[in-house]
Amino acid sequence: MRSISKTYKSLLWVALSTFICSSCEDYLNREDTSGFITNDQIWENSKAIDAVLVNLYDGGLRLDEFDDWYTDKANHLNPTSLSDEAQGSYQKDPAFSNANTVYTYGDYLFEDKFSDRYVHIRRANEFLLNLQSTDVVDDEAKKAYNAEVRFVRAMEYFGLIKRYGGVPLLKEPQEFNPGDFSALQIPRNTEKECYDFLIEECKEISEFLPDSRPGEVKYRATKGAALALLSRAALYAGSIAKYGTVQIDGLVGIPDDQAIHYFTESYHASKAIFDLNYQLYDVNPDKAQNFYDLFSKAVNGNNGEYIFQKQYSLSGGKAHSWDKMSAPFSYRGGGWGCGMAPTLEMVEEFEYIDGSEGKLVLLEADGVTPKRYDDLFDLFEGKDPRLFGSVYVPGSPLKGTKVEWQRGIVGKDGKRYQAFNQPDKDNTVTVDGKAYTASGKDGGADVGDASKTSFYQRKFFDETQTNMDMNKSETPWVVFRLGEIYLNLAEACVEIGGKEQEALDAVNAIRDRAGIKPLDAISLDKVRHERKVELAFEKHRFWDMKRWRIAHLDVANGGLTNFRGTALYPWYNVSDGKYTFTTGNPPKQLRSFLQRNYYVRLNNTDISTNPKLIQNPDYEN
């Protein structure tokens, strides 16, 4: 997706300067018809057509990427912190403070208003219409452009469908007659019709998109990207058919007799991707470092596994703020930081290399005596290397030092002295007549900005960045990668039935790359577990919990209701210089996920401007 790269930014300005105009968007927006640029001028110059396509990529794709925060950056609300993977570290957002109250998932959480999204869909439709009549590109080029823009449009629709269910399907530009808005007011299609449209679009356009792209266009849509969207969308549709409920005449929900059909579509799309030139990234024999490198700025997406990605360029004016927002406390350079705090539950999802469950050993065999460790990091010995590629645990090496999260000090008499301030403030305690700093440099107390769980997110963090400031990060965001496709295939195989060996082989390919013991047998629970670990923090988990219809369940049954998240508390013992560990609940709100939250509420503005729209279930217009 080179639309945000320096190369394409330059291309855009070359095209625009050719016409001495302010923006190609003036035409597509129809906001300024008095400027120098006109419809004819755009479609009589191939560079101008390319520039418009760049704008479609840049403005039209909602990807749940680095800087997609709900409401405001300071709130740390995103699909990671509002799943069961993590908490937001910052202590002053309603979801992450006032521990005696309950956070109910909002009606508009991660909304994508029709009034915003359909602007981009209309732009895509107008591009497709005008493409038919231009003679500055040949028929083969037209087919390629057509497929590429339809892919962008399909991505836009998928973003809407996974939020709202059925939405109005606009496949051609609408004509506006002044004073008559009724022609523009169309009803929602059913959720089934929307997924059927996506699937057929992806099948068709995959035939006209190239297997790969060279040089400066390498990040634009390919055959693999279209098939990956098909693989994911069909998997979503199959889950909704199997686990969801049809309501309001099919505007939300899909008949359950369609589940196998959609799982099969996902299966075939995934298989087709395996015939393309992608491979699981497996370069570094250090499995933890290899997994980290896969998502790193150093490798920069050129890993053979990424199918579609969003690139960033500081010099091109397109950078993000992930590193500044997410750095462990002592590495943040002041101000922002500490954003995502993985929970102990998430850390324990990562098994041990020998395939045993990932529960950390905090007690001796008697189940009572705290187990003593020479070093903080020793607690995690033998864990799945993907843990260390994804999470900074207490004692993790980083930039020549170690991440230090310490709950407090234990005296010789067993009395505990807990950290009580943010790490850069005074945490001095006197233990057995000697002064100690109770907190680690990266946290320990329940106040301030530092992680409250003792963990920080490593996946995507740029360990080479020296300018730790807002809008300075260039690590690419992965939209589709081969690791997901293996897991899509495995899930579809188990759901279809009769393909368990194929599912087992797919999951074990992932585990082999990770460096952990292969499974001997497969089940749906094991596939879902592997998906949670492999795709952690890539913003899949929240949407997976929704499509599986488990989010409303109590946390004891795998849901989000009554989830708060657990912390790991390391303590330094002055008696022998060793560490012991306890657990506890940070002062975060319990959560409540309602049945209606499986679909986002339609915005009141959208409803009021189009009376043919029907509100989603359990919401009032």
Side-chain angles (χ1 to χ4, degrees), residues 243-317:
Y243 302 109
T245 303
V246 177
Q247 299 179 77
I248 48 177
D249 297 323
L251 295 185
V252 299
I254 298 173
D256 59 7
D257 62 1
Q258 296 297 303
I260 297 299
H261 162 69
Y262 289 117
F263 288 132
T264 303
E265 292 283 8
S266 179
Y267 168 82
H268 287 305
S270 300
K271 292 280 284 186
I273 292 172
F274 294 148
D275 294 332
L276 302 177
N277 192 30
Y278 301 104
Q279 57 191 0
L280 293 176
Y281 183 77
D282 198 6
V283 175
N284 194 325
D286 181 333
K287 294 295 190 178
Q289 189 63 35
N290 184 77
F291 196 66
Y292 167 77
D293 288 345
L294 170 60
F295 308 97
S296 69
K297 174 64 177 72
V299 174
N300 197 37
N302 299 315
N303 50 45
E305 180 166 340
Y306 280 13
I307 299 170
F308 192 60
Q309 59 184 284
K310 181 173 182 176
Q311 279 279 326
Y312 296 85
S313 170
L314 180 59
S315 60

Side-chain angles (χ1 to χ4, degrees), residues 153-186:
R153 185 179 65 179
M155 288 287 290
E156 293 165 348
Y157 271 120
F158 181 60
L160 285 171
I161 297 164
K162 74 178 185 178
R163 289 169 168 80
Y164 296 102
V167 298
L169 287 176
L170 302 180
K171 305 174 187 178
E172 298 177 355
Q174 292 177 291
E175 291 295 327
F176 171 58
N177 297 315
D180 180 16
F181 290 96
S182 60
L184 305 179
Q185 298 169 341
I186 66 172

Side-chain angles (χ1 to χ4, degrees), residues 450-608:
S451 168
K452 308 303 181 298
T453 65
S454 83
F455 305 111
Y456 289 96
Q457 180 178 325
R458 187 186 186 200
K459 185 182 281 190
F460 299 116
F461 188 73
D462 181 7
E463 296 180 347
T464 68
Q465 185 166 333
T466 56
N467 185 359
M468 196 62 67
D469 206 350
M470 302 293 280
N471 299 310
K472 301 296 183 184
S473 298
E474 297 180 303
T475 303
W477 178 256
V478 55
V479 182
F480 300 113
R481 66 178 177 95
L482 191 60
E484 177 200 347
I485 304 305
Y486 272 99
L487 294 167
N488 290 354
L489 177 80
E491 184 176 340
C493 284
V494 173
E495 291 285 17
I496 293 168
K499 298 180 180 294
E500 284 74 17
Q501 185 60 51
E502 204 168 347
L504 181 62
D505 291 344
V507 169
N508 279 339
I510 293 291
R511 292 172 71 89
D512 179 67
R513 189 264 297 275
I516 62 174
K517 182 181 178 180
L519 297 176
D520 297 323
I522 199 68
S523 67
L524 186 58
D525 285 343
K526 289 181 179 180
V527 173
R528 290 182 178 183
H529 164 81
E530 201 68 36
R531 186 177 182 92
K532 184 176 182 180
V533 170
E534 172 73 17
L535 303 180
F537 316 127
E538 295 175 45
K539 300 184 179 177
H540 289 278
R541 178 66 179 170
F542 179 80
W543 302 105
D544 284 345
M545 295 182 80
K546 291 185 75 170
R547 68 182 175 90
W548 293 329
R549 297 302 193 259
I550 63 172
H552 74 283
L553 299 176
D554 186 82
V555 64
N557 298 315
L560 290 173
T561 295
N562 292 318
F563 178 81
R564 190 196 306 264
T566 304
L568 176 71
Y569 295 144
W571 299 86
Y572 178 76
N573 292 263
V574 299
S575 60
D576 56 6
K578 296 182 183 294
Y579 292 92
T580 53
F581 297 83
T582 59
T583 64
N585 292 119
K588 308 288 185 179
Q589 290 189 40
L590 290 173
R591 305 183 192 179
S592 175
F593 190 100
L594 307 177
Q595 286 277 359
R596 72 186 187 198
N597 295 137
Y598 285 118
Y599 294 99
V600 177
R601 175 176 180 157
L602 273 66
N603 191 275
N604 289 338
T605 301
D606 293 333
I607 293 278
S608 64

Side-chain angles (χ1 to χ4, degrees), residues 46 53 100 112 120-121 156-157 204 364 371 391-392 428-429 437 460-461 481 485 518 524 527 537 550 557 581:
S46 61
L53 178 58
N100 294 324
D112 200 358
H120 301 292
I121 291 173
E156 293 165 348
Y157 271 120
E204 290 182 20
E364 296 288 0
K371 188 174 178 64
V391 177
Y392 291 116
T428 302
V429 296
T437 298
F460 299 116
F461 188 73
R481 66 178 177 95
I485 304 305
L524 186 58
V527 173
F537 316 127
I550 63 172
N557 298 315
F581 297 83

Side-chain angles (χ1 to χ4, degrees), residues 128-139:
L128 294 171
L129 178 65
N130 284 284
L131 181 65
Q132 297 174 17
S133 58
T134 185
D135 57 7
V136 299
V137 294
D138 61 29
D139 287 343

